[in-house]
Amino acid sequence: MEHPPEKKKSRPGSFPGISLISNDISRKFLNRSDLARLLRMFSGSFKDQSLILAELDNFFISDPQAKIKLVFVEDSIIVKNIFIMSSAMQELAQQFPENLYVDLLKNVSPGFNLYSVSCEDDNSGWKVCANCISKTNNSDTLRFLIFSVLQSMPKMKAQIKCVTIHPAITDPLDMGTLLPNITMRHCILLIVQILEHKIFHLDFAVQAQIKTILHILLHTRSLKVYNRHLNDLRAICPAEIFQYYFETWHPSRKLWCTKDNKKLKAEKSIYTYVTSLHYTLAAEMGTSLSLNDCLRVVLNDTRELKNVPEVVPVLDSLSVPDIPSTDSQQICEESEKNGLERTEFHSWEEFQSFLDTWCEEQKTIFVIRHSVPLTDEDMSQDLIQSLKYSSVNLGCSSFTSREKIDCPASVTLRLGPKKDRLVVFEANLVHNHKLSELEFSHYFKRQQLETSTGLPIRITNSVSKRFLSREEVWNLEDYSKAKDQGMCDLFKEFDSLFKNDPGAKVKLVFQEDVAVLNSIFISTSHMGNLVQSFPRVLYMDKVVSINEEFELYTVLCQDANGRGRECAYCVARNGTPDLIVFIVASLVQSVPTIKFQVKCITVGANITDVDSVEEVLPCSRIQICQAQVLETIHNKAKELRIPKLEKIKELIRGLAYSDSATAYSQILSGLEDVCPLNFLQYYLETWHQNKGMWVKCWTFEKQRECHFMEHMTFHIQKLNSVMAPPLTLSICLRGLLDLQVLKTEMVGFNQDEITTLYRSVSSPQSACQIEEELGLATHGIYDIKETADGFSLDGGICSFKVNREVTSCTCSIYTSSFLPCRHLFSARLWTGQSLFDAGLIEHGSTKSFNVKPSS
């Protein structure tokens, strides 16, 4: 008896038809037709979603110019974000863009929080100009909200001066390239309210003492005064409260320290507004609202804020989660038995040696977070040189992970009472993340503290993330001479670069408050000229590992001869977050004219953090090299040892070359039928969600060939000719700059093809001379420099001038024949202009050659 055909198993929570539509509309502004499509599919089966869609549709009817986004969790019907900006809100934002406040009201509906953006009007009043209902534990809501506001009102980006963030918002506040020129702040008075609520259970007299010190801490303008009163706070506070302040608010003090009375006055206005807004919303929403009911309240943008009673409870959104008492007890117990507290060291070098051994045993890494150098004139210079610091705070080096972790583990070292030794004052050894032996072995090196103290933190913080001047390079070199020879050598290379190329762009990024180098961005003047001339399509990939810690990324453009040309380098520590956006943003900052000219960036398959690149280059498309994607997927299939490998490879190739979304969906359905669940899950999570970047029907210019593999392969060959890892950073930099010479560019171009083209448009005699000059160009070694009116080519014995258009030369070969000479070919190859140009032989083709050209 034959068995009936097996039915296809559907994945839990998967609704293919609906999820394709939800994926399609996510993160873009809706129109009514989008809502209509979803309503047709949701009606009858998904009541909650249907109610939300109907509510949004009604809002569109009443306000057709509204900006609305409905974001679903990928491949599901679960709502993640709802962004709303009515036409009235848009007018407000357009009228008052300079000062914005981002608010958070927690638990407005089970599993959802309410974010809002408000702007300050001419009367120092605040009004909501955007709302966002967001699923809890969604760490990118703040970026999504700001990005959506800027999409609605693009002109605002250049007009915003300050954004104040509610202190309960724990999303990353580094907006990077999204808002590169604005000040980000916390509202100090909201922090005061949180802290006062934190100590509410203490004795009244103790509360008064703590409040007095907190007031000084929160309002002082002097770092010295702040540090002194921080010690006072430690002395009178219960340990868990001080620990809470030190871990939660002390690290972010730059976001809330008050610098002047004007800012404090503005923050009083925000505080009054927030209190009234939260009280009004709480009164309207009540408790246990459904998402649809919550949405209905949010869509009412005509509400009047209510006066707040004199006594009003602290709202949920102002409560930052306490450290559980069990954790505090565990920390105390751990501190008592960790064996570090009260340990004494007679020199800084002795402590470093001890810590290296201890870290190796514990499989953890500590770096300096804050230090106070010894400057006491009463102490001998020998002791100052030996002990170095009066206090040092060490923290867990969790920045090595791809996602920054605020780990509470720390060690505090202080000068002993006799001022003759260093003593471990406090040691909190409880981490809030797993300690990875693999990560430890990858990043740990002895004398880690010496690396982190080679440069003053105040210096590295000030120069980080901006282009360096030559004077700053000199200062960094001076600071590093006695501490870190490797960094000193690196700065010497930068100094040499600036000496030869004053217009070069160099950026260093240091780990904040640690002075550990994370990345280096370099673009020479020549690179900048190339990308300015050929910005349309860029190529970027991680091309080589320099050593165990650093990797090299390269950005290429394609010149008029179809050759990939380097236009930026980035040397980055392994696992550096947001690196691709940093590289692209730095390139745009170095050559601003390309911002709206880049139409496509193709990246390698191992580059994944590309989501925010389009914020930097608004007219560009991001795509992933299809050949590398296919290779990566095939390798994963082999690694998992899945059956029917050839069939699956065929289906994956079919997905890659799908001509339409329908064809893609059909082939994906076939893949689901034949492949194992573990491979299917890998494909859906890794490549299906990024299908718009590598599948044929969605990629940029489907009919054009992508030259990514060709350009990157040739570039890596050039790198291999000058670099053999592992390398120091200084030797790597020297090798990269050595590639930026004409001789390197002479390698590999097709001389026969160029000659054939010239033969087709010139006389035989002219063609012979052109062929000879083209051949001689490949052997010429010229030092090319850009001048005010063109280019200078120095051949060692004599030099020649080529005009800026690269159409004429001062050599006797050109002046006697008016045909392209070796110098023109060299200059055109260097600048990326086409080696074949029929206009170059316009005069020479009819000229009689009575004078034999001289070499």
Side-chain angles (χ1 to χ4, degrees):
M1 179 179 179
E2 292 186 0
H3 294 286
E6 184 179 350
K7 292 184 178 178
K8 177 183 171 182
K9 295 180 180 178
S10 61
R11 299 189 304 281
S14 173
F15 305 93
I18 300 178
S19 63
L20 281 175
I21 297 176
S22 64
N23 287 348
D24 179 53
I25 71 166
S26 276
R27 295 187 177 274
K28 73 170 188 176
F29 290 123
L30 296 178
N31 53 49
R32 287 198 68 196
S33 63
D34 295 320
L35 291 173
R37 289 167 65 199
L38 284 173
L39 272 169
R40 284 196 298 272
M41 301 196 75
F42 278 127
S43 61
S45 302
F46 307 99
K47 182 180 177 183
D48 293 341
Q49 287 86 344
S50 297
L51 290 172
I52 293 170
L53 295 170
E55 200 70 51
L56 293 175
D57 190 50
N58 290 334
F59 187 67
F60 257 137
I61 294 172
S62 63
D63 188 356
Q65 302 304 315
K67 299 287 187 181
I68 296 177
K69 283 186 183 180
L70 185 59
V71 181
F72 293 89
V73 175
E74 181 77 15
D75 294 332
S76 76
I77 58 170
I78 301 171
V79 174
K80 182 180 179 182
N81 289 321
I82 306 176
F83 171 84
I84 302 129
M85 196 174 191
S86 68
S87 55
M89 291 176 173
Q90 294 170 54
E91 290 178 13
L92 273 173
Q94 189 172 20
Q95 191 175 359
F96 307 109
E98 290 190 0
N99 296 308
L100 301 181
Y101 165 71
V102 183
D103 187 55
L104 169 63
L105 188 61
K106 291 184 178 178
N107 301 318
V108 293
S109 179
F112 286 91
N113 299 326
L114 174 60
Y115 290 73
S116 63
V117 178
S118 301
C119 54
E120 183 182 25
D121 63 22
D122 289 337
N123 300 317
S124 298
W126 292 85
K127 293 182 175 62
V128 174
C129 59
N131 283 305
C132 180
I133 301 174
S134 177
K135 200 166 180 61
T136 55
N137 301 320
N138 184 5
S139 62
D140 65 347
T141 302
L142 179 61
R143 173 174 283 274
F144 166 75
L145 176 57
I146 297 292
F147 179 57
S148 299
V149 170
L150 295 181
Q151 269 189 311
S152 304
M153 311 293 297
K155 291 183 180 179
M156 284 183 69
K157 185 167 185 174
Q159 297 171 323
I160 300 172
K161 293 182 178 179
C162 179
V163 178
T164 304
I165 308 292
H166 192 292
I169 295 176
T170 57
D171 297 18
L173 299 187
D174 183 6
M175 292 290 105
T177 55
L178 190 58
L179 293 172
N181 302 315
I182 57 94
T183 302
M184 301 286 287
R185 291 189 58 80
H186 279 317
C187 176
I188 192 170
L189 296 178
L190 292 175
I191 296 176
V192 169
Q193 187 172 7
I194 293 171
L195 291 169
E196 289 184 352
H197 179 65
K198 186 78 178 175
I199 64 174
F200 186 74
H201 64 286
L202 299 178
D203 179 77
F204 183 78
V206 176
Q207 281 191 55
Q209 284 183 296
I210 294 175
K211 285 180 181 179
T212 300
I213 295 177
L214 284 175
H215 181 83
I216 297 172
L217 282 173
L218 297 174
H219 294 85
T220 184
R221 302 176 193 179
S222 164
L223 181 61
K224 185 180 291 186
V225 174
Y226 178 93
N227 288 333
R228 185 169 69 246
H229 287 284
L230 186 64
N231 290 330
D232 294 340
L233 183 68
R234 185 196 301 269
I236 67 169
C237 259
E240 68 275 9
I241 292 179
F242 178 80
Q243 180 184 342
Y244 163 77
Y245 174 82
F246 191 77
E247 294 173 1
T248 308
W249 301 113
H250 172 73
S252 62
R253 59 194 178 280
K254 292 180 182 178
L255 295 175
W256 47 260
C257 282
T258 303
K259 300 298 183 185
D260 54 54
N261 293 330
K262 184 178 179 181
K263 284 186 177 178
L264 187 59
K265 182 179 178 182
E267 294 197 354
K268 286 180 180 177
S269 170
I270 291 177
Y271 176 78
T272 302
Y273 168 72
V274 172
T275 308
S276 179
L277 176 66
H278 285 198
Y279 180 75
T280 303
L281 288 172
E284 288 187 29
M285 291 184 174
T287 58
S288 301
L289 276 183
S290 69
L291 182 57
N292 181 56
D293 293 333
C294 173
L295 179 61
R296 189 176 297 117
V297 172
V298 169
L299 291 176
N300 173 24
D301 62 344
T302 60
R303 71 173 53 83
E304 293 291 331
L305 298 187
K306 298 181 179 181
N307 294 324
V308 182
E310 291 185 6
V311 179
V312 60
V314 177
L315 299 169
D316 287 344
S317 63
L318 297 178
S319 303
V320 178
D322 295 347
I323 298 173
S325 58
T326 54
D327 288 357
S328 300
Q329 183 179 355
Q330 180 185 0
I331 289 168
C332 295
E333 292 173 356
E334 184 71 20
S335 296
E336 291 174 1
K337 65 184 182 183
N338 62 44
L340 286 187
E341 288 187 355
R342 294 178 294 280
T343 305
E344 298 178 350
F345 302 92
H346 293 277
S347 70
W348 175 251
E349 185 177 353
E350 181 187 346
F351 172 70
Q352 283 189 96
S353 178
F354 165 82
L355 190 71
D356 283 343
T357 304
W358 184 83
C359 284
E360 283 185 306
E361 293 172 355
Q362 303 295 323
K363 296 293 182 286
T364 187
I365 304 175
F366 279 81
V367 295
I368 293 176
R369 298 294 190 209
H370 177 71
S371 63
V372 180
L374 278 170
T375 57
D376 192 340
E377 295 180 357
D378 295 332
M379 292 179 65
S380 70
Q381 288 301 311
D382 288 343
L383 270 178
I384 291 176
Q385 189 172 356
S386 174
L387 299 175
K388 293 185 183 295
Y389 302 101
S390 62
S391 69
V392 180
N393 177 254
L394 307 171
C396 170
S397 179
S398 53
F399 68 85
T400 54
S401 301
R402 286 193 174 272
E403 294 184 5
K404 181 175 170 64
I405 303 169
D406 292 322
C407 179
S410 63
V411 175
T412 302
L413 206 67
R414 289 187 182 175
L415 191 65
K418 295 182 179 181
K419 298 186 177 182
D420 63 347
R421 66 197 65 188
L422 295 167
V423 181
V424 177
F425 174 77
E426 188 175 33
N428 171 17
L429 308 179
V430 178
H431 299 262
N432 62 0
H433 59 100
K434 292 182 179 179
L435 300 177
S436 165
E437 289 195 23
L438 180 63
E439 186 178 74
F440 173 83
S441 63
H442 188 71
Y443 289 104
F444 177 78
K445 60 182 178 182
R446 297 187 72 84
Q447 299 298 307
Q448 180 82 18
L449 297 188
E450 193 64 34
T451 301
S452 67
T453 58
L455 293 166
I457 290 171
R458 62 184 175 81
I459 299 295
T460 57
N461 282 353
S462 68
V463 303
S464 190
K465 297 184 181 180
R466 63 182 179 82
F467 293 124
L468 294 177
S469 66
R470 193 177 182 190
E471 290 75 15
E472 288 171 324
V473 170
W474 291 339
N475 290 337
L476 291 167
E477 185 181 345
D478 286 339
Y479 278 118
S480 61
K481 276 179 181 176
K483 295 279 189 176
D484 191 331
Q485 188 58 44
M487 290 297 288
C488 186
D489 291 341
L490 179 64
F491 294 132
K492 286 179 180 176
E493 293 297 333
F494 286 139
D495 185 35
S496 176
L497 168 62
F498 280 124
K499 181 180 179 181
N500 296 318
D501 182 7
K505 301 293 185 181
V506 175
K507 218 187 248 193
L508 300 182
V509 179
F510 291 89
Q511 183 68 27
E512 188 171 4
D513 296 334
V514 181
V516 172
L517 182 63
N518 267 8
S519 54
I520 306 168
F521 172 88
I522 306 164
S523 182
T524 65
S525 297
H526 176 56
M527 291 176 171
N529 291 338
L530 283 169
V531 75
Q532 188 168 27
S533 299
F534 309 104
R536 189 172 179 276
V537 179
L538 302 180
Y539 307 88
M540 176 165 41
D541 202 7
K542 179 170 64 180
V543 289
V544 69
S545 292
I546 296 167
N547 52 41
E548 291 184 352
E549 295 179 88
F550 289 91
E551 298 168 319
L552 173 65
Y553 292 75
T554 303
V555 184
L556 306 176
C557 59
Q558 180 171 297
D559 69 14
N561 296 300
R563 296 161 64 88
R565 306 292 295 274
E566 297 90 353
C567 51
Y569 291 122
C570 182
V571 176
R573 189 177 294 276
N574 301 336
T576 300
D578 301 322
L579 182 62
I580 306 309
V581 175
F582 164 74
I583 295 172
V584 175
S586 299
L587 184 59
V588 171
Q589 287 173 339
S590 61
V591 190
T593 56
I594 70 171
K595 182 177 181 70
F596 299 102
Q597 296 175 336
V598 178
K599 300 305 178 186
C600 180
I601 297 184
T602 304
V603 301
N606 58 355
I607 293 180
T608 55
D609 51 339
V610 296
D611 291 342
S612 301
V613 171
E614 290 180 358
E615 297 172 11
V616 187
L617 296 170
C619 299
S620 73
R621 287 281 305 277
I622 311 301
Q623 66 181 29
I624 305 171
C625 173
Q626 189 182 75
Q628 283 195 2
V629 172
L630 290 174
E631 182 182 1
T632 302
I633 297 174
H634 294 165
N635 289 340
K636 185 68 175 181
K638 290 178 184 177
E639 176 190 325
L640 296 175
R641 298 183 178 180
I642 61 173
K644 302 180 181 178
L645 182 58
E646 290 305 317
K647 175 64 176 175
I648 288 174
K649 287 172 69 172
E650 181 185 340
L651 288 168
I652 294 295
R653 185 172 177 81
L655 289 170
Y657 289 97
S658 298
D659 288 323
S660 66
T662 303
Y664 177 90
S665 298
Q666 290 172 348
I667 299 173
L668 180 62
S669 180
L671 184 69
E672 292 174 341
D673 287 335
V674 300
C675 77
L677 185 59
N678 58 348
F679 179 76
L680 179 62
Q681 183 176 359
Y682 158 77
Y683 177 79
L684 291 175
E685 292 177 356
T686 309
W687 299 112
H688 170 66
Q689 65 176 358
N690 293 317
K691 59 186 179 295
M693 299 183 190
W694 64 276
V695 174
K696 178 183 176 183
C697 63
W698 287 293
T699 52
F700 176 74
E701 294 188 334
K702 295 181 279 294
Q703 304 307 317
R704 289 199 184 204
E705 182 182 357
C706 177
H707 296 282
F708 179 91
M709 293 296 290
E710 175 188 343
H711 294 333
M712 284 299 169
T713 301
F714 185 60
H715 172 63
I716 292 171
Q717 289 173 355
K718 290 198 294 184
L719 289 174
N720 291 338
S721 69
V722 296
M723 296 197 300
L727 301 169
T728 63
L729 293 182
S730 59
I731 293 175
C732 170
L733 177 60
R734 192 180 313 147
L736 294 177
L737 296 176
D738 284 346
L739 284 180
Q740 303 305 306
V741 293
L742 178 62
K743 184 178 178 181
T744 305
E745 296 306 326
M746 291 293 182
V747 178
F749 77 83
N750 192 329
Q751 181 179 341
D752 292 338
E753 182 180 326
I754 306 297
T755 302
T756 301
L757 290 171
Y758 275 111
R759 286 187 181 280
S760 68
V761 295
S762 62
S763 68
Q765 190 176 7
S766 297
C768 286
Q769 179 177 322
I770 291 170
E771 182 177 5
E772 180 182 356
E773 290 299 305
L774 190 60
L776 289 170
T778 63
H779 301 293
I781 301 176
Y782 300 108
D783 179 20
I784 299 185
K785 294 190 181 301
E786 188 171 358
T787 63
D789 55 354
F791 301 90
S792 168
L793 281 76
D794 187 352
I797 299 175
C798 53
S799 61
F800 306 93
K801 302 290 184 183
V802 172
N803 69 344
R804 180 158 293 280
E805 294 75 22
V806 199
T807 56
S808 67
C809 178
T810 58
C811 74
S812 59
I813 298 171
Y814 178 80
T815 56
S816 63
S817 66
F818 294 100
L819 290 174
C821 60
R822 66 199 73 172
H823 313 112
L824 277 179
F825 284 129
S826 298
R828 292 181 79 84
L829 187 66
W830 179 245
T831 57
Q833 296 188 48
S834 177
L835 291 175
F836 172 73
D837 184 348
L840 294 177
I841 49 95
E842 184 177 298
H843 301 290
S845 62
T846 58
K847 184 176 178 63
S848 173
F849 293 93
N850 296 320
V851 181
K852 183 179 179 180
S854 60
S855 59

